[in-house]
Amino acid sequence: MIPDWRPLRQELARLRAANIELPIWWRDDDAIAATPQLDQLAQLSGDLGVSTHLAVIPARATPTLAAAVTTLPNVIPVAHGWTHENRAPAGEKKAEFGHGRADATFDLERGFSQMRQMFGKRFVPVFVAPWNRLNAMYFQPLSDVGYKAVSTFTPRNSAEAVPGLITVNTHIDPIDWRGTRGLVAPDAIIAEAARHLEARRLGASDPAEPFGYLTHHLVHTPEIWDFTRAFLSELLAGGARETSLQTVIEESQ
């Protein structure tokens, strides 16, 4: 089945007509090692000319990943929690930093230090919350540790979580996590993306927030890879411009 790209193309045209810029960024979660899937991710990123922000699990990351990233200039390492283990109370939704716990700040510090040690200046100080859940009580500790941005999912409520810590979320996830774990119906993804862009155009969400696409390279099916290429290509052809969170951070300072 060929996707119907018309709703997305029409909304992109409306943004252009309204002179509203559409910065886009790409985040990919759960990296721990060099794998063929990482190679495929980097190849696609290079083909599209869209940098991939690779959310690395610090406590589980291997030296092979650090070595691979040094050879992949379009892959940008960011931190994905500390261990990506569920620390939520029984009965609550999964989260590593969704609830108060005595050792949380220590884990944030360890994660930041590990990322600096493994990736040096390549590490961009962005904290990606495991399961996209992050309690506001951790905003200031994250800033104190040295992070400059946080990222979860759905449009942000404010440009800064706390002064000096910007929020840059993702908006589209093509994986059917609660069903087949394959590709969500393409027309449904396209319709969702068009709704997000309409909300930006009408001022119902922040038009300055880069529009984020979220993937998980380790579990992609061929259909997810193909849709990712097509979707990002459509955004670029429709006038979107690629941005990196390093640039977003620098522009916010």
Side-chain angles (χ1 to χ4, degrees):
M1 179 179 177
I2 299 175
D4 181 3
W5 294 103
R6 288 175 296 178
L8 181 61
R9 291 172 180 171
Q10 290 167 358
E11 193 52 49
L12 287 166
R14 294 185 185 108
L15 288 176
R16 294 195 304 273
N19 293 315
I20 298 173
E21 290 191 355
L22 181 63
I24 63 172
W25 74 293
W26 182 4
R27 193 185 104 200
D28 187 278
D29 288 3
D30 299 345
I32 57 175
T35 62
Q37 295 97 323
L38 178 63
D39 293 338
Q40 188 170 358
L41 179 75
Q43 181 65 54
L44 180 55
S45 176
D47 291 348
L48 293 170
V50 179
S51 298
T52 304
H53 296 74
L54 190 68
V56 176
I57 302 172
R60 298 168 57 192
T62 67
T64 65
L65 179 62
V69 168
T70 64
T71 69
L72 303 173
N74 53 313
V75 171
I76 302 171
V78 297
H80 196 22
W82 166 236
T83 62
H84 203 305
E85 294 177 350
N86 181 23
R87 302 294 300 274
E92 297 287 337
K93 291 182 177 180
K94 290 181 178 179
E96 186 177 11
F97 294 93
H99 307 83
R101 53 185 175 89
D103 56 349
T105 298
F106 180 52
D107 285 350
L108 295 177
E109 292 170 347
R110 287 197 291 177
F112 188 92
S113 177
Q114 180 77 343
M115 293 295 292
R116 280 280 189 232
Q117 182 177 342
M118 293 190 72
F119 300 103
K121 293 182 179 179
R122 291 289 304 280
F123 168 51
V124 175
V126 176
F127 184 84
V128 173
W131 294 283
N132 289 304
R133 297 188 181 108
L134 180 62
N135 194 296
M137 70 174 67
Y138 295 116
F139 292 160
Q140 191 58 54
L142 282 163
S143 180
D144 294 342
V145 166
Y147 286 103
K148 300 299 181 183
V150 294
S151 182
T152 59
F153 191 76
T154 69
R156 67 188 182 189
N157 294 319
S158 60
E160 287 187 313
V162 293
L165 185 71
I166 63 173
T167 303
V168 188
N169 290 343
T170 51
H171 304 80
I172 297 295
D173 182 342
I175 299 177
D176 182 10
W177 292 106
R178 297 181 180 179
T180 65
R181 298 180 73 86
L183 179 68
V184 172
D187 286 355
I189 303 173
I190 292 166
E192 181 182 3
R195 287 193 294 270
H196 278 297
L197 300 189
E198 180 184 37
R200 297 165 70 92
R201 177 171 56 84
L202 298 178
S205 64
D206 185 353
E209 181 182 20
F211 186 58
Y213 184 66
L214 171 60
T215 57
H216 291 73
H217 66 282
L218 291 174
V219 299
H220 284 189
T221 62
E223 293 77 16
I224 294 170
W225 286 115
D226 290 345
F227 181 83
T228 294
R229 180 185 291 273
F231 181 73
L232 292 173
S233 295
E234 286 284 342
L235 290 177
L236 294 169
R241 60 173 178 85
E242 184 264 356
T243 191
S244 74
L245 293 198
Q246 180 63 53
T247 298
V248 175
I249 290 168
E250 291 171 355
E251 291 177 348
S252 72
Q253 294 175 343

